[in-house]
């Protein structure tokens, strides 16, 4: 059984550095062949929590992925079964709750300074003995798309990014989701009074800064995040000459039914493995932004996946 608590200290006065693993507590897990933990790590000056799922039926160390949840606070909280489904594909999976959630310190800012909770999760995950060296892919669901794309823009060891049912333009979300306006005005501000705060949380406005491959997955029947946000992101990536692919699932809602969800996960992890395999071993510790331009392959897949 792994240690239930690990503490990493550094910097001044023994204060743990950002991205330090503080605690790793085993949790009961009904899924065979997967170990589940509640992890506490440092992000800036805060202690942040998240779930870690480690597959046991694959050779370790294994590749890792960080799952960026959607919603805010109790809405859209990380679901254990979602992590287990990903871990069954042979990946160590970490899902930060973000600051201010589930006993974590600080305040959830919906893509503000809490973006560092994803950035600092990357070195923490890379430090785990169960994880193989190299860039860490990100999967951003719904609001998590903002977090994943911000991390891809700002964090050197962020790997390829999957945007699933993701927000790409928060101005559009404000217009589309009347039920979210009160929360957005309280947490982010008003789009006319604080437009810069909305732009900072809208990847379509800074797509030139993205230097890693992107996969877009979206259901055309999504009423929570319009499929037009996926199309807008795809158009921005295309115009910027980025490496991306898009899969639109006909008539599917925000959360896919089980069979379609499994198909989508198969496609996502096949794409992630392909992108990781293209990173030369000697460059695995180099920021993906520095890989050669000719590694791009502008592929677009539209329509119903069969």
């Amino acid at each position: 059984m792994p240690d239930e608590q690990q503490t990493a200290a550094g910097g001044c006065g023994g204060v743990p550095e950002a991205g330090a693993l503080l605690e790793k507590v085993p949790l009961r897990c009904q899924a065979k062949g997967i170990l589940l933990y509640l992890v506490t790590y440092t992000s800036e000056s805060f202690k942040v929590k998240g779930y870690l799922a480690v597959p046991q039926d694959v050779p370790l160390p294994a590749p890792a992925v960080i799952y960026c949840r959607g919603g805010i606070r109790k809405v859209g909280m990380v679901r254990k079964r979602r992590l287990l489904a990903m871990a069954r594909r042979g990946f160590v999976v970490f899902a930060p709750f973000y600051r201010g959630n589930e006993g974590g310190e600080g305040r959830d800012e919906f893509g503000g300074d809490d973006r560092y909770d994803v950035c600092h999760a990357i070195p923490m995950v890379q430090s785990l003995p169960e994880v193989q060296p190299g860039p860490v892919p990100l999967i951003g669901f719904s609001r998590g798309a903002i977090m994943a794309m911000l991390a891809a823009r700002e964090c050197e060891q962020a790997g390829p990014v999957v945007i699933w049912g993701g927000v790409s333009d928060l101005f559009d979300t404000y217009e589309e989701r009347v039920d979210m306006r009160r929360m957005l005005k309280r947490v982010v501000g008003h789009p006319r009074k604080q437009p810069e705060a909305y732009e900072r949380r809208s990847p379509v406005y800074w797509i030139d800064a993205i230097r890693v491959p992107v996969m877009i997955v979206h259901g055309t029947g999504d009423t929570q995040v319009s499929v037009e946000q996926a199309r807008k992101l795809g158009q921005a990536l295309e115009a910027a000459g980025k490496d991306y692919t898009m899969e639109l699932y006909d008539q599917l809602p925000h959360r896919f039914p089980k069979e379609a969800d499994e198909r989508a996960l198969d496609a996502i992890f096949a794409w992630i493995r392909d992108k990781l395999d293209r990173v030369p071993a000697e460059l695995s510790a180099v920021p993906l932004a520095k890989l050669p331009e000719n590694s791009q392959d502008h592929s677009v897949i539209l329509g119903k996946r069969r």
Side-chain angles (χ1 to χ4, degrees):
M1 181 67 68
D3 291 341
E4 291 197 5
Q5 181 167 326
Q6 294 176 277
T7 300
C12 299
V15 176
E17 296 177 347
L21 174 65
L22 299 179
E23 195 173 44
K24 183 180 172 187
V25 180
L27 300 175
R28 172 179 256 177
C29 181
Q30 300 296 332
K32 293 183 179 180
I34 299 175
L35 299 179
L36 188 65
Y37 301 90
L38 176 64
V39 164
T40 305
Y41 68 106
T42 56
S43 178
E44 298 188 293
S45 62
F46 301 112
K47 295 178 181 178
V48 180
K49 297 180 180 291
Y51 286 139
L52 175 71
V54 179
Q56 295 296 290
D57 54 359
V58 299
L60 296 175
V65 65
I66 292 176
Y67 174 69
C68 303
R69 55 162 285 200
I72 185 170
R73 301 190 182 95
K74 293 292 185 181
V75 177
M77 188 53 197
V78 176
R79 296 179 299 161
K80 294 176 184 177
R81 65 177 178 271
R82 164 54 79 207
L83 303 193
L84 300 179
M86 294 180 180
R88 290 189 188 99
R89 272 117 181 132
F91 280 70
V92 176
V93 185
F94 179 65
F97 301 158
Y98 311 141
R99 61 188 59 181
N101 290 294
E102 297 297 302
E105 298 172 348
R107 175 175 173 268
D108 191 330
E109 298 181 6
F110 208 79
D113 285 348
D114 52 348
R115 69 190 186 277
Y116 296 122
D117 302 346
V118 180
C119 289
H120 293 144
I122 294 174
M124 184 277 291
V125 168
Q126 290 174 319
S127 74
L128 298 173
E130 301 95 337
V131 174
Q132 66 185 31
V136 179
L138 308 172
I139 300 176
F141 179 74
S142 196
R143 164 268 179 102
I146 299 172
M147 310 295 282
M149 291 293 273
L150 284 166
R153 183 181 72 174
E154 300 179 10
C155 309
E156 287 188 345
Q157 280 289 290
V161 177
V162 177
I163 301 304
W164 191 341
V167 174
S168 66
D169 188 332
L170 196 59
F171 291 101
D172 288 351
T173 298
Y174 185 88
E175 294 301 322
E176 296 166 359
R177 294 291 303 273
V178 176
D179 60 315
M180 289 180 61
R181 288 181 183 175
R182 177 179 293 181
M183 180 277 292
L184 287 171
K185 285 188 285 189
R186 183 180 68 252
V187 177
V188 181
H190 194 284
R192 286 195 295 273
K193 295 178 180 177
Q194 288 84 26
E196 68 288 343
Y198 279 74
E199 286 186 14
R200 286 198 300 268
R201 293 166 170 84
S202 300
V204 293
Y205 293 101
W206 33 265
I207 211 69
D208 284 342
I210 300 300
R211 297 290 183 268
V212 296
V214 177
M215 181 183 194
I216 304 169
V217 176
H218 215 107
T220 64
D222 193 337
T223 58
Q224 295 186 50
V225 180
S226 168
V227 70
E228 293 308 313
Q229 296 221 30
R231 294 190 173 113
K232 180 180 282 191
L233 180 60
Q235 290 166 1
L237 289 162
E238 180 74 23
K242 301 298 181 179
D243 175 0
Y244 81 102
T245 186
M246 180 186 296
E247 297 198 3
L248 302 183
Y249 288 73
D250 191 33
Q251 300 301 312
L252 291 190
H254 195 53
R255 294 190 182 275
F256 291 5
K258 182 174 176 53
E259 184 178 341
D261 190 69
E262 290 293 320
R263 291 201 308 270
L265 284 171
D266 285 343
I268 285 168
F269 280 91
W271 179 84
I272 288 175
R273 285 189 182 277
D274 177 68
K275 294 303 179 183
L276 290 179
D277 287 345
R278 297 187 188 199
V279 180
E282 64 273 17
L283 296 180
S284 64
V286 176
L288 286 188
K290 296 182 180 179
L291 293 180
E293 291 290 334
N294 59 14
S295 66
Q296 299 180 351
D297 71 12
H298 309 282
S299 56
V300 184
I301 304 173
L302 297 174
K304 187 175 182 178
R305 184 174 178 86
R306 299 182 185 278

